Amino acid sequence: PKIDLQGFWKFKIDNENTGEENGWYKGLESEDIIYVPASWNEQNPKWDQFSGIAWYQKDLFVSNDNGNRKAWMVFEGAGYITKLWINGEYGGTHEGSFTQFKFPIKLKVNEFNKIVVKIDNTPSPYNLPPARDLNNAAFDFFNYGGIHRPVYIEFVDECHVEDITVYTKSYGHLKVEILSECNQRFSLRFKLVDKEGRVILNEESSNEVFEKDVNNVIPWSPDNPYLYTLIVEMYVGGNLKDSVYERIGFRDVEVKDGKIYLNGKPIFLKGFGRHEDFPILGKFTYGAVLVRDFYLMRKIGANSFRTSHYPYSNEHLDLADEMGFLVILEPPLCYSNISRVMSQEEIAKMFGDVKYFEKVRDTIKEMIRQHKNRPSVIMYSVMNEPPSDIREVAEFIRREVELFKSLDSSRPVTFASHRSVRDLALEYVDVISLNYYHGWYTEWGDIDSGVKVVAIELEEIHKKFPEKPIIITEFGADAIYGLHSDPPQMWSEEYQSEMIRKYIEALREKDYIVGFHIWNFADFRTPQNPSRTILNRKGIFTRDRQPKLAAKVVEELFKNKLRS
Ligand code: ADA
């Protein structure tokens, strides 16, 4: 059982951070109203530019039936720092905006409970991702704050399944590892149900590791994203205490001889870097928006995206599982403009700091724990655009790759580099991912010269790492919707389409390239700044998902000019 806390909450900004002294954690006297889930910024013009400390509060009446059960308050994503109190009692603190976390709570029955949440999204160089202030961030997207993903209270029995990890192979191999909490003797039952509702496996075991070859499974793939439901039931003395449902797919991923193989067949990634960003909702992507996005991606022949630059919501990735998209999952580690935040020495110091690595490790652990059972997630990108021409940073990436492999050895690992031939960390990854903007930030106004530079650098990298497949994880140009120009000039819809077309046409014959991700699927909000016009306009769709000229061009390229 679950109590959804979606809806209207009380809200108050705490510029001076005196709320704790003033006892706001006992309950909030405020007239201001906010909606959850959604970022706070666009819900009221007064809050638009606000990054800092704010308080949320809701009264919740809980009836008797849930009285004696163990309860959790689950946040699917809130931040940057979230602190909870229930009836004035401190419940926990969590750092990081984009991973799910939960706090154990005690509720009073048959009376109101005061739920109070303090959120602090003050920019800091040691946040993930780093920023000095609102306008000097290492990342190129708006620093939204708030409870921007679903939040709910979940009740469980003292004896329950805490976590499950599923490994599959396309031929039908299934391995399930259970993490349980129970101080009595229990038994487990494993069931596998196909799409038609047929129970194709039903076995009891007292072992927390369950392994089995299932006959005649339908493998998961973009063409046929067939999902099974795995049910794990926990019994104590014959009584059902807990049951967990997980949607799984039978598939395997392997990198060898310069290719990525899914279920033994080479794949070619066609798609986008995306963002979770929508007018008014901020960092909450409403289900209907996601459905439109995925149908748009499918219409133009895309089969893949990267969760740039943070792990996406459960619903976002549920849809990828369901509709057969190949996902590169990325933690909230984005360092594109790190030089705006700190000096070279500070960068070397931060990446060499054990405490920093531990913070990164905790976030990565949370991300993998949340999304590890998704068939759509075929690869991890350990970070975006690190300053990996610095030795200490390359060493950090080496250790990070090691960490990913120790947590999940079933998926290949990459990172999105913008250092190209100067990168010192390419040797550590299974797949090389490169972001290029020649013809936009450099060689600007001259797409042909830009493309030439990219082609030359790619050859050099390929010569050095002939066995590693390469994905172009970012390329693109800003275009203002409705701005046209002949000949194509920067910021026009024509320039954007030409740039995407020329990159793909010039590079598609290189057989070591195994994917193109266009930057970006849709325009998204950035801090105001003379060169950004509030939005990053590299979307081939506008922020409200209307097609620019490039959408047609990309459809033609994805469907007719690229391998599938
Ligand atoms: C970087 C970065 C992206 C994106 C892009 C741009 O390469 O990885 O976050 O915003 O720049 O448009 O400048």
Side-chain angles (χ1 to χ4, degrees), residues 233-292:
E233 295 172 339
M234 182 183 230
Y235 293 86
V236 174
N239 297 320
L240 180 65
K241 291 290 178 185
D242 194 13
S243 54
V244 178
Y245 288 63
E246 189 79 329
R247 298 188 322 157
I248 65 164
F250 287 88
R251 62 110 186 89
D252 44 72
V253 188
E254 197 187 358
V255 174
K256 58 172 192 214
D257 315 325
K259 298 266 174 296
I260 307 173
Y261 292 85
L262 180 77
N263 309 335
K265 289 193 207 98
I267 48 171
F268 195 88
L269 309 184
K270 297 183 274 192
F272 299 93
R274 289 173 54 80
H275 260 297
E276 291 195 329
D277 175 278
F278 201 69
I280 305 172
L281 306 176
K283 280 258 161 284
F284 176 56
T285 39
Y286 189 68
V289 176
L290 289 171
V291 170
R292 179 172 176 91

Side-chain angles (χ1 to χ4, degrees), residues 69-292:
R69 311 194 69 183
K70 199 182 171 87
W72 300 99
M73 179 133 163
V74 183
F75 293 83
E76 292 196 353
Y80 180 72
I81 292 170
T82 304
K83 221 166 156 176
L84 172 75
W85 291 264
I86 306 265
N87 302 319
E89 207 173 298
Y90 172 68
T93 303
H94 177 267
E95 178 171 350
S97 298
F98 302 106
T99 42
Q100 179 172 317
F101 56 95
K102 61 181 188 183
F103 299 126
I105 58 169
K106 280 203 188 69
L107 293 167
K108 297 193 227 164
V109 288
N110 291 327
E111 56 182 300
F112 275 111
N113 290 271
K114 294 220 170 289
I115 303 176
V116 179
V117 179
K118 180 187 180 187
I119 302 270
D120 180 354
N121 82 329
T122 311
S124 153
Y126 302 99
N127 282 2
L128 309 179
R132 185 143 53 87
D133 53 49
L134 200 53
N135 297 320
N136 290 288
F139 50 94
D140 176 40
F141 53 92
F142 193 75
N143 189 47
Y144 282 107
I147 305 178
H148 55 242
R149 287 184 189 162
V151 53
Y152 46 86
I153 291 169
E154 197 173 59
F155 298 93
V156 290
D157 196 274
E158 286 295 337
C159 278
H160 64 272
V161 175
E162 186 53 31
D163 190 25
I164 75 176
T165 309
V166 180
Y167 301 96
T168 64
K169 295 258 188 229
S170 53
Y171 68 81
H173 188 71
L174 173 68
K175 185 178 176 194
V176 189
E177 291 171 3
I178 304 296
L179 191 68
S180 59
E181 238 171 61
C182 186
N183 42 27
Q184 298 169 63
R185 271 173 65 109
F186 62 86
S187 68
L188 298 165
R189 182 166 282 282
F190 295 85
K191 293 181 184 165
L192 193 65
V193 183
D194 71 11
K195 267 193 171 168
E196 283 69 46
R198 284 185 293 250
V199 180
I200 57 170
L201 185 123
N202 188 350
E203 283 184 27
E204 205 184 285
S205 157
S206 53
N207 208 324
E208 294 190 318
V209 179
F210 178 82
E211 206 162 357
K212 182 100 194 164
D213 283 337
V214 189
N215 290 330
N216 302 320
V217 299
I218 300 173
W220 183 96
S221 72
D223 294 335
N224 184 15
Y226 197 98
L227 295 173
Y228 291 84
T229 307
L230 173 73
I231 305 168
V232 180
E233 295 172 339
M234 182 183 230
Y235 293 86
V236 174
N239 297 320
L240 180 65
K241 291 290 178 185
D242 194 13
S243 54
V244 178
Y245 288 63
E246 189 79 329
R247 298 188 322 157
I248 65 164
F250 287 88
R251 62 110 186 89
D252 44 72
V253 188
E254 197 187 358
V255 174
K256 58 172 192 214
D257 315 325
K259 298 266 174 296
I260 307 173
Y261 292 85
L262 180 77
N263 309 335
K265 289 193 207 98
I267 48 171
F268 195 88
L269 309 184
K270 297 183 274 192
F272 299 93
R274 289 173 54 80
H275 260 297
E276 291 195 329
D277 175 278
F278 201 69
I280 305 172
L281 306 176
K283 280 258 161 284
F284 176 56
T285 39
Y286 189 68
V289 176
L290 289 171
V291 170
R292 179 172 176 91

Side-chain angles (χ1 to χ4, degrees), residues 293-307:
D293 279 9
F294 278 67
Y295 277 114
L296 288 174
M297 288 197 288
R298 194 182 256 183
K299 177 171 186 282
I300 62 185
N303 64 5
S304 175
F305 63 88
R306 173 170 59 123
T307 69

